[in-house]
């Protein structure tokens, strides 16, 4: 029955994170069998195949006049007006890989602050972050390790020669002289995306549709959402460079 179709019955991938919004309002609309519009910009669409007959979800602009609630599925951090009568929520598949380059001894506080500032400036949801990527010589950097452990983010590291083989918009000869690659943050973010796409078919915990994999390979040609940004924290030691890349295959780990 339609009135038994609730928000909790949606077979949403386990890695998706609930974002801001009126979850109670959307859940109530679904329970009443009212039309709920779904706008999905990223993530697997396999969850749609498990919907029961007679469900009240709508997409592709259907039944606009009857919409009583809306669900966004994206990596964008939308700021809903509290004055809107239409309840809205947002789900965030983890599709953003953050590349990090930093000086030795850079604190977790500075790295986390830099990522937060980038997300705010580019309207990116921090909940959509899949993980952190950097050069392998930073695999034991305390600030990065503390951040990844605290936020439950995986850490991918890549050798300098691998990073140096990646074409980036902002290479640096100074960085190349110091660490053996002209880019760390941008190249690491792009390498993380490439690795996710190439290994997606081998994962046991996800199914990749032909459409999604094709989209991933197409987007993979230019997935850098945020070119490198350099941050410092007042007079405190250390500096961090941040870049963000999009992966059409979401992280579910």
């Amino acid at each position: 029955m339609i009135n038994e179709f609730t928000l909790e019955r949606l077979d949403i991938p386990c890695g998706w994170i609930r974002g801001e919004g009126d979850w109670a309002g959307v859940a109530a609309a679904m329970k009443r069998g009212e039309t709920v519009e779904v706008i999905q910009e990223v993530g697997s669409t396999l969850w749609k195949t498990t919907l029961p007959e007679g469900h009240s979800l709508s997409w592709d602009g259907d039944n606009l006049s009857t919409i009583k609630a809306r669900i966004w599925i994206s990596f964008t951090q939308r700021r809903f007006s509290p004055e809107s009568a239409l309840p809205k929520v947002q789900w965030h598949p983890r599709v953003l890989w953050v590349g990090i380059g930093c000086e030795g001894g850079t604190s977790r506080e500075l790295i986390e602050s830099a990522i937060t500032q980038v997300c705010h400036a580019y309207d990116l949801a921090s909940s959509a972050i899949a993980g952190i990527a950097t050069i392998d010589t930073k695999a034991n950097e305390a600030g990065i390790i503390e951040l990844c452990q605290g936020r439950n983010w995986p850490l991918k590291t890549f050798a300098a020669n691998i990073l140096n083989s990646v074409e980036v918009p902002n290479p640096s000869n100074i960085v190349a002289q110091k660490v053996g690659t002209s880019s760390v943050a941008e190249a690491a973010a792009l390498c993380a995306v490439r690795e996710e796409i190439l290994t997606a078919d081998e994962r046991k915990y996800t199914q990749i549709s032909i459409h999604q994999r094709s989209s991933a390979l197409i987007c993979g040609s230019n997935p850098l959402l945020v070119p490198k940004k350099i941050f410092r924290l007042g007079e405190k030691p250390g500096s961090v460079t941040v870049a963000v890349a999009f992966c059409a295959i979401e992280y579910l780990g």
Side-chain angles (χ1 to χ4, degrees), residues 195-222:
E195 182 175 272
E196 285 295 294
I197 293 172
L198 293 177
T199 61
D201 289 336
E202 301 173 2
R203 296 181 188 164
K204 298 178 181 179
Y205 52 79
T206 186
Q207 300 180 52
I208 306 301
S209 66
I210 294 176
H211 172 74
Q212 191 180 5
R213 182 167 175 79
S214 298
S215 297
L217 293 173
I218 292 171
C219 292
S221 62
N222 187 27

Side-chain angles (χ1 to χ4, degrees), residues 80-102:
F80 300 137
S81 171
E83 300 176 357
S84 175
L86 187 72
K88 310 178 191 71
V89 296
Q90 45 196 338
W91 245 307
H92 302 303
R94 296 174 63 183
V95 294
L96 303 179
W97 284 92
V98 179
I100 294 293
C102 66

Side-chain angles (χ1 to χ4, degrees), residues 11 14 20 25 49 69 73 91 112 135 141 145 173 213 238-239:
D11 189 20
C14 62
E20 298 177 3
T49 64
I73 304 172
W91 245 307
E112 194 162 24
I135 192 169
E141 185 69 38
I145 296 298
N173 290 330
R213 182 167 175 79
S239 68

Side-chain angles (χ1 to χ4, degrees), residues 105-109 111-112 140-148:
T106 300
S107 67
R108 169 186 172 171
E109 178 187 9
I111 300 171
E112 194 162 24
N140 296 313
E141 185 69 38
I144 295 177
I145 296 298
E146 290 173 10
L147 174 61
C148 289

Side-chain angles (χ1 to χ4, degrees), residues 16-246:
W16 292 12
I17 307 297
R18 286 193 179 196
E20 298 177 3
D22 183 3
W23 287 93
V26 172
M30 290 182 64
K31 191 171 183 178
R32 291 191 297 265
E34 297 174 339
T35 302
V36 176
E37 182 184 28
V38 178
I39 301 176
Q40 181 167 4
E41 299 172 344
V42 297
S44 172
T45 59
L46 292 177
W47 65 274
K48 293 182 179 180
T49 64
T50 63
L51 294 174
E53 292 185 10
H55 67 80
S56 60
L57 300 184
S58 173
W59 36 80
D60 297 328
D62 296 336
N63 305 317
L64 290 177
S65 62
T66 63
I67 291 173
K68 300 299 181 182
R70 180 174 293 128
I71 298 173
W72 291 88
I73 304 172
S74 74
F75 58 71
T76 301
Q77 180 62 61
R78 288 177 169 81
R79 295 168 177 83
F80 300 137
S81 171
E83 300 176 357
S84 175
L86 187 72
K88 310 178 191 71
V89 296
Q90 45 196 338
W91 245 307
H92 302 303
R94 296 174 63 183
V95 294
L96 303 179
W97 284 92
V98 179
I100 294 293
C102 66
E103 295 179 354
T106 300
S107 67
R108 169 186 172 171
E109 178 187 9
L110 175 53
I111 300 171
E112 194 162 24
S113 173
I115 294 173
T116 298
Q117 291 180 63
V118 165
C119 286
H120 182 77
Y122 286 82
D123 294 321
L124 303 177
S126 61
S127 297
I129 293 176
I132 302 297
T134 189
I135 192 169
D136 58 1
T137 55
K138 294 294 181 180
N140 296 313
E141 185 69 38
I144 295 177
I145 296 298
E146 290 173 10
L147 174 61
C148 289
Q149 290 178 344
R151 299 294 292 269
N152 195 29
W153 287 338
L155 174 62
K156 291 180 180 289
T157 62
F158 302 92
N161 65 311
I162 299 297
L163 297 177
N164 202 43
S165 68
V166 179
E167 184 177 349
V168 296
N170 299 292
S172 168
N173 290 330
I174 295 176
V175 172
Q177 292 173 6
K178 290 183 177 180
V179 298
T181 172
S182 60
S183 172
V184 175
E186 291 178 341
L190 293 171
C191 281
V193 169
R194 182 171 61 185
E195 182 175 272
E196 285 295 294
I197 293 172
L198 293 177
T199 61
D201 289 336
E202 301 173 2
R203 296 181 188 164
K204 298 178 181 179
Y205 52 79
T206 186
Q207 300 180 52
I208 306 301
S209 66
I210 294 176
H211 172 74
Q212 191 180 5
R213 182 167 175 79
S214 298
S215 297
L217 293 173
I218 292 171
C219 292
S221 62
N222 187 27
L224 199 65
L225 294 177
V226 181
K228 71 176 185 180
K229 306 294 179 184
I230 302 174
F231 297 86
R232 292 179 174 81
L233 193 60
E235 298 180 356
K236 293 186 177 182
S239 68
V240 59
T241 303
V242 177
V244 183
F246 163 71

